[in-house]
Amino acid sequence: MSEKAQLHLNGKVYELPTVTGSEGEKAVDISTLRDLTGYITLDDGYGNTGSCSSAITFIDGEKGILRYRGIPIEELAVKSTFVETAYLLIYGKLPTHPEKARFSDLLTENENLHEGMKHHFEGFPPSSHPMAMLSAMINASSCFYPGLMKSPDSESFEVQAARLLSQVRTIAAFSYRKSRGLPFLYPKPAYKYTANFLYMMFSDPYGSYELKPEVVRALDLIFLLHADHEQNCSTSTVRMVASSEANLFASAAAGVCALWGPLHGGANQAVITMLEEIHASGDDGRRFITAAKDKNSGKRLMGFGHRVYKNYDPRAKIIKAASDLLLHTLNREDPLLDIARKLEEAALGDSYFVERKLYPNVDFYSGIMMRAIGIPTEMFTVMFAIGRMPGWIANFKELLDERRKRICRPRQIYIGPTERHYLPPEQRR
Ligand code: ACO
């Protein structure tokens, strides 16, 4: 029998059921609270609110644990690929050989954009941010494939999921080419997922980009490490939109918009901007650390801190080691890496950051790695969006498969004026 929580309110005692997850996480189920008591819960920024039960990703922020479908991120980072991990997240199990081959074929069959979408890109001004193009074009997909408009059943889901996962990469590459005034390159069916993306980004009509295995592997790892992260801002957005029974593409486009902000996926771009500013000012990082601690400075140490991790983000550990290795293999030096290391060392020894449990998150070193790969800064958050797509699709599917579907609709405590009356203009002040 599960424990009951007791709530003492206005001289009465109410019993509320509790729920325990498979890793021992506990929640008080307050779904009957308003009916019973007339009260709702209030939780700024949802810091203490479980919005759903989910079997996809487990995080223990105190211990720095991240697992996709039970498998530690450290194991997947070494043994898996982005596409295999995408399958794991979406379908809940590692694929067998035939399942993997079918998934891979579906990705290849759906990699080309509708030719009409290519012309749609023409309307964007060259200065458009690739994230704006990405969300607009993902959403526009349903105009070109009307079948995408309706919520998928389990059969059509497979194709829709593969189309989205495959085309997000093509749209991302086209967005970049558009922003640089370069001709679009169609995907090559012979290339695997990440190699194909690099080919579409960096090849010329007159010469193919040299696909270095270590670079392909590095970007694949970045995608894999971003593939899901339970109910973060963008994934919650996807679930929120999907709960209205909006289609998969509309839900994912909303996820891209939520991801764009500098407090979420936009942080990887913001980290590099911060490191460049520190470098240009001749600071070794110490002045910036002082500013980041001052609430009036308007500065934060970007790439540090996390709502859930109160310990080192396990993805940051993997990325830090991988970026060291990549720079070494490519025989490259990056002065920004030295500044990042100094900032990290200073912050981890500073009581402000220690007391608030602020550690490097995944974005702190991912930008350094993407710079080494040659990804331009304005595309960093797009890389995050490609990586996060399996997580959004998996969460969409989980919602789709739920027997009891409920629209997400939080309540509020109204603090505006009480009833007052409409005044004619001459009486207004
Ligand atoms: N630099 C300086 N101070 C910080 C930072 C930071 N990066 N992050 C948090 N703090 C401080 C806050 O000012 C606050 O201080 P106070 O208690 O004295 O008021 C305290 O630490 C708690 O911070 P909150 O903003 O309440 O923490 P929250 O959980 O709401 O925010 C967030 C988490 C948004 C990630 C925050 O740490 C942040 O802005 N970090 C920088 C941006 C960033 O790297 N975002 C990427 C997140 S990971 C991802 O999306 C992949």
Side-chain angles (χ1 to χ4, degrees), residues 114-183:
H114 188 292
E115 197 60 14
M117 284 177 79
K118 215 176 80 179
H119 303 300
H120 212 62
F121 273 99
E122 303 301 337
F124 291 110
S127 58
S128 307
H129 195 286
M131 283 296 273
M133 287 191 263
L134 187 69
S135 69
M137 293 306 290
I138 289 175
N139 204 15
S141 296
S142 55
C143 310
F144 294 93
Y145 303 97
L148 304 182
M149 291 274 222
K150 49 182 187 350
S151 208
D153 50 34
S154 53
E155 221 169 277
S156 57
F157 172 81
E158 203 189 8
V159 177
Q160 287 200 14
R163 173 165 291 153
L164 179 54
L165 188 59
S166 193
Q167 291 193 355
V168 64
R169 166 194 55 168
T170 315
I171 294 173
F174 276 34
S175 303
Y176 167 70
R177 312 262 324 173
K178 167 70 196 174
S179 69
R180 295 290 162 107
L182 298 166

Side-chain angles (χ1 to χ4, degrees), residues 235-255:
T235 304
S236 302
T237 302
V238 169
R239 281 186 94 116
M240 172 78 86
V241 175
S243 78
S244 74
E245 297 191 4
N247 67 64
L248 174 62
F249 284 68
S251 305

Side-chain angles (χ1 to χ4, degrees), residues 289 292-293 301 304 347 350-358:
I289 290 276
K293 294 191 286 183
L301 182 54
F304 253 71
D350 188 308
S351 59
Y352 174 96
F353 294 90
V354 174
E355 278 159 21
R356 289 170 180 76
K357 299 188 175 144
L358 302 171

